[in-house]
Structure formats: C-alpha cells, structure tokens
Amino acid sequence: FVRASFRAPVLDPLILGVWAGFLDMARRNPAIRDVHEATYLSYRDRLQDLIEELGRDVDKARLRRDAIACNAVIDGLWLEGSALPEAFETGELERIGIETIGAILGTKLDVEP
C-alpha cells in the first residue's frame, strides 16, 4: 500500500495539479467537498483496516489516529515527490514512507519490495 503511493501512476506531477485544483474547488463547492470527504474517509478507513491487520493490541480510537498519521506521512511525501520528482533517488520515498510508518505503528515493516 505504501509502496504503491510512491509509484506510477499515483506519483505523477500531472495528478498533483489536478489534486490541487480539486482541493481548491472543494473549499468553495459543497458538492465537491462532499465528494472529497467521502473519498478521504474511504481511503482512511481502508488504511485503518490494513493497520488493524497487523494484529497490534490497540483500540479503535488508536487505529483511527494511526491511520490519520500514516495518511499524513503518505500525503506529505507524495506531495513533495510529485512536485519535485528529481529531488529524490529511486525508491527513496518508498523507503522513507515505510520506515516512518513503521515507527508510527511501533513495528518494523519490510523496506525491500
């Protein structure tokens, strides 16, 4: 899941432009805001489900917070990787994302594909 966030077709400067325009419209258009909310919650819930599959002994509130934090890491790295793809070595964003998310979740995730 994390690796896919930093590979084509997800990591793409053109998608970044579309995303930025979509977010700008979501601030002004309630229908678009509703679409954004629904897709964000669906994505966050899927991420939460994946985190829950790790089998850690945590409650639902902690799973939710972890999903939000992991999403923030993915979003931030995706944003920079899409805006400045030449600033990162091949696989660097994937490794940083996996290591950082592992630290958030208190587990070592496999960095190598």
Side-chain angles (χ1 to χ4, degrees):
F1 187 90
V2 176
R3 280 188 190 92
S5 299
F6 305 116
R7 294 181 178 173
V10 177
L11 189 69
D12 182 331
L14 293 176
I15 292 175
L16 173 62
V18 172
W19 178 80
F22 175 76
L23 283 183
D24 183 53
M25 291 178 66
R27 294 181 317 110
R28 296 179 279 124
N29 183 314
I32 292 176
R33 185 189 181 288
D34 290 346
V35 169
H36 174 59
E37 181 179 27
T39 57
Y40 167 76
L41 293 175
S42 175
Y43 177 89
R44 191 196 70 206
D45 289 348
R46 178 64 182 128
L47 186 53
Q48 184 173 326
D49 290 344
L50 290 170
I51 293 168
E52 187 172 22
E53 288 178 20
L54 291 172
R56 299 176 309 147
D57 186 23
V58 297
D59 63 16
K60 291 288 187 184
R62 175 63 188 264
L63 287 169
R64 180 182 182 275
R65 289 191 309 271
D66 287 348
I68 291 168
C70 291
N71 179 56
V73 168
I74 292 169
D75 274 358
L77 292 172
W78 175 83
L79 179 65
E80 293 303 331
S82 293
L84 297 169
E86 66 283 352
F88 304 96
E89 296 174 14
T90 301
E92 185 175 17
L93 294 175
E94 292 176 34
R95 288 188 302 276
I96 293 169
I98 289 168
E99 289 170 358
T100 304
I101 288 171
I104 290 168
L105 301 176
T107 189
K108 181 158 176 37
L109 300 176
D110 184 15
V111 177
E112 298 304 319

